[in-house]
Each structure stands twice: as C-alpha cells, then as structure tokens.
Amino acid sequence: MFWSVCASLLCSGVNCGDVFAGAGLTPAGPAAAVLTMAGLATRQDAKVVRQNFSSNEAAAAKTSGEHANPPTIVIGFVGGFVRRDNAVHSPVQIAVRLRSAHLSGVHVEVFENHRRQDAYRKILQLLDTAHTGMLSAAEKRGARIIIYGMSWGGSETLALARELKTQKIPVLLTIQVDSVAKAGQNDEVIPANVAEAANFYQTNGLLHGRPQIRAEEQGRTRILGNFRYDYEANSLRCQGYPWYDRVFTKYHTEIECDPAVWNRVEQMIREKLPPVQDKEARSGKAE
C-alpha cells in the first residue's frame, strides 16, 4: 500500500522518504550525517544537534528580546513532511550554525512547510518592539527578513513573502532550493517587497524544482540567479537518508544533501547578517 501511495504522491511533488517517516517506518537508530561547511559530520554530531535544538532556539529568542531594535530575522522551511528539528536536513543544519555564530541581533528559526502561519506570527511578534500588538510604519520599514526553503518549503518561502507584502513589510532575501509548488501557490514570481532572490534547482527525475524565478517588478527585485545542478553526471551519496529517498527521489534528495549548494545558500544569508563579534570582545576582555 505504501508503494502505491508513494507513486501517486511523487506526481504531486511529495518526498517518498518523508511519507515513510511520517508513517513511522524509518530505520531504527539516530538520524545521521550533519553537513558542516566542510562537508559531512558524524552521527554523534547529528545527535548532539537534535538534543540542543530546542535550547538553542530558546536562547536565540531570549537574546533577540533584549534589543530595542528588532533582530534580523531568518526563517527556514523544510520540505515534505520533514520535522523542523531533523538534523539530517540541510535547512536545519544552516539554522543551527547561524545560531551558534550570531549570539545577538539575529533570530533564526525553522518551520515545517505547513506551519507558515506560525512563521508569520513569529515575524510580527519580533517586529513589534513597542509591544503594542500592532506594527507601526517605522517598525515595518525597519524589518530585516531572510526566508529560505527546500522543496515545498521553497513554495512556502514565496507564500510567506507575499503575506508580508500585504502588510508592507520588506524582505531582504528569499532563497529557494529545488522548489516544488504547492497546489494553488506560485513559486515562480518573486513579490515586489523582496529585494533579492536566488533559486537553486535540478531537472532530473520525477521530482525536480522550479527552473526559473522572475521578479514581479523588475525595478524592485534583483534576481541573483537560477543555479542549475546536474546529479546524473555528478551523483552524491546522501548519508543518513533512508534508501527509499535515495531511490524514488534520488536527484531531489541529492540537491538537498549537497554541501556545495547549501554552503552557497548559507553564504548568501550570512552576507545579510550583522558581523560576528569576537568572543573576547563579547565578554569584555582586553587583548
């Protein structure tokens, strides 16, 4: 039965591995393989990241609340039915690294792609520095927001940006990775409130991403590029992913685990963030 469900879902852009995971049919033992800037880390690293995920998120939220000005907000969306704390997946790994590097002035949070409204409410909460329950024009203008997502998360990236546009809230950057449009959504046209946008995709297999994005208004949004990757010629071994992901959504999975792609994504995000202070400077120690 699961095979027939997966076959039908593949046609609608659902990751087979995520379906099995949601059904509780994942292999026993901890998920493995956390990508670092240099490549793949160990299974133990992945376990540690998952154990510390909640505490890191709480610390980031607490830190952002200490500032009169709103933090730079980084929102990530995972694809399929992936959990937001699943350390095998690259959107989660990026969030963990950014939290570790930016201890203040930046709020980083990952959401499941069906939790867009939670992400929207979190953004409004963080921007409401006066705690009035209603954003002023100045609070909206001061927003510094970055949104990125994988697969269905790429589709939700633009859906969230459009929702912010209705409130006249600007977005610094959107990044889509092998974006798969949800029913009724448009993952091609970048709304005019987005300053810059980038798209990473591959075109092989039954499940593949949006090959091109374009600006709703040419003078308002800069398209950084539509970056194509070919995994037929350069196959990757995605450690930590179940075999059915690697078989049924092979190329879609490979762009999701490709460190070359996600290092570029992370670099684009970091370029929009405040500089990382030296640890000794933060602690007040003299040289």
Side-chain angles (χ1 to χ4, degrees), residues 4-74:
S4 61
V5 171
C6 280
S8 63
L9 289 177
L10 276 172
C11 296
S12 61
V14 177
N15 188 305
C16 244
D18 295 334
V19 174
F20 276 72
L25 297 181
T26 54
V34 177
L35 287 177
T36 64
M37 290 295 287
L40 295 174
T42 64
R43 291 176 179 270
Q44 184 177 0
D45 292 332
K47 184 176 181 181
V48 170
V49 168
R50 298 189 67 174
Q51 289 173 340
N52 291 335
F53 190 93
S54 296
S55 60
N56 286 346
E57 184 175 89
K62 180 180 178 181
T63 301
S64 67
E66 295 172 355
H67 292 263
N69 294 324
T72 300
I73 302 168
V74 182

